[in-house]
Structures are given as structure tokens and as C-alpha cells.
Amino acid sequence: MSSMRNEKDPNYQQDIQYIFKLNNWILGSIGLWPVSFQGIGRHAPRIAIALGNFALSFAMVPCALHIVYDEKDIIMRLKLCGLLAFCLTAMTKYCILVIRRPKILRCIEYVKHDWWQVTFRSDRELMLKYATIGRNLTIIGASFMYTAGIIYYGILIPFFSETKINNQTIRPLVYPTYNEFYQFQISPIYEIVYVAHCMCGYTIYSITAGACGLAALFVTHACGQIQVIMSRLKILLNDENSNIHQRIAIIVKDHVRIVRFSAVVEEVLQEVCLVEFTSSVCTICLLEYYCIVDWKDDNKLSLATYFLLFISFCFNIYILCYIGELLMEKSIEIGSMCYMINWYQLSPRSVRSLVLIIAMSSHPIKLSAGRMADLSLTTFGNVLKTSVAYLSFLRTLVM
């Protein structure tokens, strides 16, 4: 092992940039990622948060008035209610993440410290393996979400949604507005409102993709640290000249650190996951309904957009459930690894330390949605089944 040791990993800055870059881009643009600007630049996150909330409110309030007072068609009301619920959910998650910013910073410092402490190339390779998993999950989720948004905001609305009333062309808006606001059709007010709606859409998609990316970043880091501990357990008895008790103490210390880090991550994400799960059941159900309606109406572009949004939401929920399942499996494997090594060759004092690790692993680390449901693949299946049940009820009610 000594031949693999570095004085200090020269790739530290490169690795930190690699694992943080995507989340920095997504969350930094809406003011949720900590920045190190000086002077007036230190107020940039607050300005971004204020602008994001203003854009969300600017779109939601006139849209809600339109649904209540203007829209009479039941199917259009369902579509607009789904859009409004999506905005409200995003705003709720936004507020939660803003409140949790200090703990997000604490988790980021945990991650940076762990990477700074890397002293073996094998440890770095294991950590990079799981960091790459988290990065890839973020890329795929963000790609689905932003692609669907670009199609909806940039193609479907401006080019395929114009209507004529009394030989007058009504230019479409992403979020319909209350009919009393006629001036929204006048240039340049229309263009300003449309840009504000696009800002709202960018904020919504960034919150959704950023929350899943943040969860993937922190949880895969914890899994990487667990894998490092397991690699140390495998070679625990290989070096007969080393102090076994001291090596076990380091393993226990690192395990406790992972448990504490996971507890902070759980505290950061539990409300966000609860909002995501409760809203996703309804949102996925509505998207399934929109796809069926557009399929019947042979509206191919709208069908493609809603289907892409449906895939995006399903994948975001799958990411949360997958990383929750991965974290549980890895935390259980530590106990199995303690038992699989030649522990009978250790002194009774050292074995007692391993027993504590096994006891801790019997209560695996979990992520939960508001401590009401554990994030796992079983939960993902339940979300899909519940959405289909609601879809059946909705079709019976409407059709």
C-alpha cells in the first residue's frame, strides 16, 4: 500500500471541479449554490433567488385567475391545473432549498474535505467511480428536463399555438393570463411577458434537475466513501506489522463520519423529496392523461412534448429512488464485509470493534420523503402504480 501513497493528491482541484461543475452551473444560476464572489458580487445569489421567485409568481397569479374566471373547457382546465401545480411545486422546493442553503454548504464542505484527505490512488479511483455515476445521473436527468422545456417553450408555444378570434390573431403565452389584461397582446409588452415566462420555465426546470442532481452528488459520494471503507476491511489482516487496533479505529471513525454526513443529507433532502413524491404522483397521472388526449386528437408535437416530460418526471423520481436503494445496499454491505474477513484471527478487543460496525449496518442508512416513505425501487414502483390508479379514476370522471 505504501507504494500507492501520494504525499497529497495533485488532482484535487481537477476532481473537485469535475464533480461539482454541473451542479454549480444548474444551482448557481438560480442562486442556490454557494459562491465566493467579493464585493457587490456576493449579493448575486440573493438577486438570483429574488428574480426566480418573481418570475414564478408573475406566471402563476395571472394563470390562476385565468383558470378560475375565464377557462370553461374541462380538459384545458386540467392541462392548466397541471401546469400551475408544477409551478407551485417548484416554488415550494425552491423555498425549501433556500432555507437549507447553510446545510447544503456544510455537505459541500464534507465532500471537499473527503477529497482533500485522499492519500491512495485506489481510494481516488473508487471515489471517482461513484462520482461519475452521480454526474451521469445528473446529466441524463437535466438533459430530459431541459430538452422537454426547450421544445415546449421554444417550438410548441410560439409556432403552433396561435388562435384567431373575430379575425384577430391571438399570440399565445406559455402561461395563459386573465382576460382583463388585454395589454399583454401589445408589443413590446407581449415580448417582455413571454421572456418572463421563459425565465419562469428555466427556474422550474433548474430547480427540478438541480434537486435531483444535488441528491445524486451527495449520495454517490457517501457510497464512494463506504466502498473505500470496504476496501480497507478487505486488506485489514494483510499487513502483519501494522497496528490492527489503530487501523480498525480509523475505519470506525470514517464510518461514523459517513453516518453523520448522511444524516445531514437526509435533513437537506427530506422535505424536497416529500414534495417531489406527493406532486409527482399527480403530475405523472396528468401527463399520462394529456398523452392519451393528444393521441386521440392526433396532436403529434404536443404528444411528443408531454411524453418527453412524462419520461423526465419518471426518471427524476427513479434517480431519487435508485440512489436511496444504492445507499441502503452499500451501508448493509459494510456489515457483511466485517463478517467475511478472517475476523477469528483478531484479538477479542479488535473483534468487539467489528461487532459495533455490524450492529450499525443492521440499521442501514436511508433517505426518506419527509420520513414518511423510504426512497427505494419499491417506492418507485408504488408511485407508478398509484399514478395509473389515479389515471383510471380521472378518465372515468372526465370521459
Side-chain angles (χ1 to χ4, degrees):
M1 291 292 291
S2 59
S3 63
M4 301 174 64
R5 186 178 180 87
N6 302 318
E7 290 299 324
K8 182 56 66 178
D9 193 342
N11 299 308
Y12 168 73
Q13 292 294 341
Q14 181 182 347
D15 293 340
I16 288 296
Q17 185 180 10
Y18 173 77
I19 62 176
F20 284 154
K21 181 183 290 185
L22 289 175
N23 291 281
N24 192 357
W25 285 349
I26 296 172
L27 295 175
S29 64
I30 54 176
L32 293 177
W33 192 265
V35 295
S36 56
F37 295 147
Q38 300 296 326
I40 195 172
R42 70 181 185 274
H43 299 295
R46 295 179 182 177
I47 296 172
I49 291 170
L51 287 176
N53 280 295
F54 173 77
L56 289 168
S57 302
F58 184 82
M60 289 171 57
V61 174
C63 184
L65 292 174
H66 175 80
I67 294 172
V68 173
Y69 294 108
D70 297 332
E71 190 58 60
K72 305 302 179 183
D73 184 80
I74 185 66
I75 293 179
M76 283 304 301
R77 274 193 170 184
L78 279 174
K79 287 189 175 184
L80 293 176
C81 283
L83 187 63
L84 191 62
F86 186 27
C87 295
L88 184 60
T89 300
M91 179 176 276
T92 304
K93 290 189 290 185
Y94 200 12
C95 294
I96 293 171
L97 290 173
V98 169
I99 294 171
R100 295 298 185 188
R101 279 185 71 210
K103 291 190 180 295
I104 293 174
L105 177 59
R106 183 179 171 188
C107 291
I108 292 172
E109 293 301 323
Y110 261 102
V111 175
K112 287 183 177 180
H113 182 269
D114 288 340
W115 279 94
W116 176 252
Q117 294 297 319
V118 172
T119 52
F120 297 103
R121 293 190 185 94
S122 58
D123 291 351
R124 177 176 177 267
E125 290 171 359
L126 286 172
M127 292 168 66
L128 276 177
K129 174 185 174 182
Y130 284 90
T132 302
I133 293 174
R135 180 184 171 90
N136 290 340
L137 290 173
T138 303
I139 290 173
I140 297 172
S143 298
F144 274 120
M145 191 60 65
Y146 285 127
T147 301
I150 290 171
I151 293 174
Y152 185 74
Y153 284 77
I155 299 176
L156 182 63
I157 294 298
F159 297 110
F160 295 92
S161 301
E162 285 190 353
T163 58
K164 286 191 175 183
I165 300 178
N166 298 327
N167 292 325
Q168 181 181 2
T169 300
I170 303 298
R171 293 183 290 180
L173 288 169
V174 181
Y175 301 91
T177 59
Y178 188 35
N179 281 347
E180 295 296 326
F181 304 146
Y182 292 112
Q183 60 269 29
F184 281 169
Q185 290 292 319
I186 303 172
S187 295
I189 297 177
Y190 172 82
E191 286 76 12
I192 295 172
V193 172
Y194 190 83
V195 170
H197 286 181
C198 290
M199 287 178 57
C200 173
Y202 176 78
T203 303
I204 290 171
Y205 294 127
S206 296
I207 293 168
T208 305
C212 290
L214 199 66
L217 167 67
F218 292 150
V219 173
T220 52
H221 175 75
C223 292
Q225 292 298 104
I226 291 173
Q227 195 65 40
V228 169
I229 291 179
M230 292 173 61
S231 69
R232 291 175 182 170
L233 283 169
K234 287 181 181 178
I235 61 171
L236 182 62
L237 300 175
N238 290 358
D239 192 351
E240 298 179 356
N241 297 323
S242 63
N243 187 332
I244 295 293
H245 183 71
Q246 183 179 4
R247 295 172 70 181
I248 292 177
I250 293 173
I251 290 172
V252 172
K253 180 181 177 181
D254 290 343
H255 187 219
V256 171
R257 178 177 173 80
I258 293 171
V259 172
R260 289 175 177 171
F261 171 72
S262 300
V264 179
V265 173
E266 158 78 5
E267 191 171 351
V268 169
L269 297 175
Q270 60 178 341
E271 294 96 343
V272 173
C273 291
L274 178 61
V275 173
E276 187 75 34
F277 270 76
T278 53
S279 65
S280 290
V281 173
C282 298
T283 304
I284 291 174
C285 169
L286 288 173
L287 286 171
E288 291 168 343
Y289 178 74
Y290 301 160
C291 289
I292 292 173
V293 171
D294 287 333
W295 180 279
K296 289 183 177 180
D297 295 340
D298 198 28
N299 192 343
K300 295 179 181 178
L301 185 60
S302 180
L303 172 62
T305 304
Y306 286 129
F307 182 73
L308 193 56
L309 282 171
F310 169 75
I311 296 297
S312 301
F313 276 96
C314 289
F315 191 79
N316 285 335
I317 294 297
Y318 177 78
I319 288 176
L320 295 175
C321 293
Y322 171 76
I323 61 178
E325 184 87 13
L326 184 64
L327 185 60
M328 281 193 290
E329 288 181 356
K330 287 297 176 184
S331 60
I332 292 173
E333 285 179 8
I334 293 181
S336 301
M337 182 58 65
C338 287
Y339 182 76
M340 295 302 292
I341 65 174
N342 297 333
W343 53 267
Y344 45 83
Q345 297 177 3
L346 298 173
S347 65
R349 180 186 178 189
S350 299
V351 171
R352 283 196 293 270
S353 300
L354 294 181
V355 170
L356 290 175
I357 298 177
I358 295 173
M360 285 293 294
S361 66
S362 65
H363 301 281
I365 303 170
K366 296 180 180 179
L367 292 181
S368 67
R371 298 181 180 175
M372 297 175 63
D374 295 332
L375 302 184
S376 65
L377 295 180
T378 302
T379 307
F380 175 70
N382 291 335
V383 169
L384 293 184
K385 288 189 289 186
T386 305
S387 69
V388 172
Y390 285 169
L391 174 64
S392 178
F393 173 75
L394 182 62
R395 291 187 65 191
T396 303
L397 184 65
V398 175
M399 297 180 177

